[in-house]
Amino acid sequence: MTQPIRFHINDKPVQAEAGDADMALIDFLHERQDLTGTKFCCGIGVCRACTVATREKGDGVLEKTLSCSTPVSAVENMSIYTVESLGSEQALAPLQQAFLENFSFQCGYCAPGFLMAATAMLSHLKRAPVPASQLDAVMETWVGGNLCRCTGYVRYMEAIRKVALPYTLGGGVAL
């Protein structure tokens, strides 16, 4: 690959040099973009601490992507969203607020991965809601593989359920 790789990170256009094509996306985020909110842990895509959200097309749904095992070349023309894209300086995103209110994390190292996997899940629920009775299964599919060394799983799931329930059929909010 000799051409620069173009994509977006948190809605900003980015260009990676061709020499960075094989670089892991998390290294590019940390070393070239100074976005250190995404965490590196196992390095082989098992723990999912490095999860970011990705979108192939402007109006498409978000998918979860493991940035430790995804080369920069694989995200050409895509949009990447990191934990830095959530909320603002004035207000936390609903998932971030729910994590705080539910005391979901202790050390917080895995929190960005949980946040971005749940953000991608919400993107799908907004587009294709499921019955509220299926929400726990959907949450298990999207977030169940994320590991927490402090074992905060119950509180993470409670927080995610609180934010996701309105986006289910019969769960609260008219869509």
Side-chain angles (χ1 to χ4, degrees), residues 18-158:
D20 289 341
D22 293 332
M23 176 183 264
L25 179 58
I26 191 166
D27 293 334
F28 185 82
L29 293 170
H30 287 189
E31 297 172 18
R32 303 288 194 263
Q33 300 297 307
D34 200 28
L35 294 171
T36 58
T38 304
K39 300 303 179 199
F40 180 85
C41 192
C42 72
I44 56 173
V46 174
C47 71
R48 302 178 188 206
C50 66
T51 302
V52 295
T54 56
R55 177 180 287 142
E56 287 194 37
K57 296 181 181 177
D59 63 344
V61 291
L62 293 173
E63 301 295 338
K64 57 183 181 178
T65 298
L66 302 173
S67 63
C68 75
S69 57
T70 300
V72 169
S73 61
V75 298
E76 186 167 21
N77 298 319
M78 295 177 71
S79 293
I80 312 301
Y81 296 94
T82 68
V83 69
E84 288 91 346
S85 72
L86 302 178
S88 66
E89 290 185 21
Q90 292 75 35
L92 296 173
L95 279 169
Q96 291 172 310
Q97 187 65 44
F99 279 21
L100 283 177
E101 291 171 358
N102 285 281
F103 303 99
S104 298
F105 52 86
Q106 293 176 33
C107 79
Y109 198 82
C110 63
F114 273 92
L115 282 166
M116 298 318 295
T119 297
M121 179 193 78
L122 289 175
S123 173
H124 280 259
L125 283 177
K126 289 175 183 176
R127 177 86 42 105
V130 299
S133 62
Q134 295 178 13
L135 181 56
D136 285 349
V138 170
M139 289 170 39
E140 182 63 27
T141 298
W142 282 90
V143 185
N146 286 60
L147 299 182
C148 171
R149 294 181 288 188
C150 305
T151 66
Y153 299 107
V154 171
R155 292 181 178 188
Y156 272 123
M157 292 306 201
E158 288 173 354

